[in-house]
Amino acid sequence: MDLMLKDKVFIVTGGSKGIGEGVSRSLAAEGAIPVIASRSVAASEQLVKELLATGRSASFIAGDLAEPSQCQAVVEQTISRFGRIDGIVNNAGVNDGVGLENGSPEGFLSSLHKNLLHYYSLVHFALPYLKESRGAIVNISSKVALTGQGQTSGYAAAKGAQLALAREWAAELLPYGIRVNAVLPAEVLTPLYENWLNTAFDDPEAKRKEITGKIPLEKRMTTKAEIADMVVFLLSARSSHTTGQWIIVDGGYVHLDRSLT
Ligand code: NAP
């Protein structure tokens, strides 16, 4: 299937590690130009170098997206480099463990800055260009928005809001032909996930085995490429009548009958 993405320009937040890295690689493989917006300078420079060396396109803009002015700078620099924006993958985030008992109102607000505010800010600043391109937006949310996790109110609230915004923006942006969808991963072994395993459990390897044993399809974690390919399909015109949807890519973890595992 030709996804018709050649030379199209997509901002991918957190696009050089974990799921974002997968999205950048899938976009580049389709001939599109991923613009990685991230604070991970070394990983981003390395990925861009690798993609360019293999004849792909890619670009990197450094910054901490929790600061709205940095989101504006990402949009301005993307336009000055490429003159267009065909879509946004809102992906950067951190499960920072701000709970009811172990947190504070200040910590909760800080978590929303790290996980939610930049989803809005980037789309807000990019909107004139998305209107021109009739672009597409994908919000990476999480199963935590649907199931809860415990001890992580800020992250859970942000993940839920990202789903609400996928619906809200799909409605607001109908007149411009801009489609908005959300993808919900559950268990993907990324640097963020490994950090959670290593800090929250005494025996991270035992916990990893326990979780993978409960994933119905093939008793394994979802790969970042499997998340990325869904995201890239949703960005492409091949999904031209899909908007306001929440797509759960998780090997059946959230919804299939528990007796199956
Ligand atoms: P990851 O491995 O930590 O990669 C995220 C990347 O984004 C990192 O390079 C990180 O930089 C960067 N980043 C984070 N906050 C940033 C900010 N404010 N400004 C600029 N860059 C920032 O994370 P991941 O596991 O791939 O997660 C990606 C998305 O998937 C998140 O929205 C997460 O909630 C969601 N998700 C993941 C899973 C999973 O199983 N992994 C499950 C459900 C949902 P640093 O390295 O400096 O932090």
Side-chain angles (χ1 to χ4, degrees), residues 194-211:
E194 283 187 276
N195 184 51
W196 173 68
L197 280 178
N198 291 334
T199 50
F201 303 99
D202 293 336
D203 186 345
E205 185 53 21
K207 187 67 187 173
R208 189 186 62 74
K209 280 194 181 134
E210 182 197 325
I211 292 169

Side-chain angles (χ1 to χ4, degrees), residues 212-233:
T212 51
K214 290 178 181 161
I215 297 172
L217 190 61
E218 300 173 353
K219 305 271 190 295
R220 64 168 177 84
M221 296 213 176
T222 310
T223 66
K224 50 194 179 184
E226 286 169 326
I227 304 287
D229 287 345
M230 178 60 74
V231 172
V232 170
F233 173 70

Side-chain angles (χ1 to χ4, degrees), residues 143 146-147 184-188 211-223 226-227 230 247-261:
K143 85 162 202 316
L146 306 179
T147 63
L184 292 79
E187 313 295 328
V188 186
I211 292 169
T212 51
K214 290 178 181 161
I215 297 172
L217 190 61
E218 300 173 353
K219 305 271 190 295
R220 64 168 177 84
M221 296 213 176
T222 310
T223 66
E226 286 169 326
I227 304 287
M230 178 60 74
I247 317 271
I248 303 169
V249 183
D250 71 345
Y253 190 57
V254 171
H255 285 95
L256 292 189
D257 190 322
R258 269 173 282 174
S259 69
L260 294 167
T261 52

Side-chain angles (χ1 to χ4, degrees), residues 72-153:
Q72 187 168 15
V74 166
V75 169
E76 286 168 359
Q77 287 184 47
T78 303
I79 289 301
S80 85
R81 286 181 202 180
F82 300 106
R84 60 183 296 138
I85 297 173
D86 294 284
I88 291 179
V89 182
N90 272 322
N91 165 77
V94 57
N95 191 348
D96 50 1
V98 178
L100 279 172
E101 289 183 301
N102 62 359
S104 65
E106 294 74 25
F108 182 79
L109 193 58
S110 163
S111 183
L112 296 186
H113 276 257
K114 290 176 194 159
N115 285 297
L116 180 61
L117 183 61
H118 56 85
Y119 276 47
Y120 173 88
S121 302
L122 205 54
V123 171
H124 170 74
F125 291 119
L127 197 51
Y129 309 105
L130 293 170
K131 285 181 186 173
E132 276 174 23
S133 63
R134 294 175 72 84
I137 299 163
V138 175
N139 283 351
I140 304 296
S141 173
S142 169
K143 85 162 202 316
V144 169
L146 306 179
T147 63
Q149 180 182 290
Q151 288 85 46
T152 196
S153 298

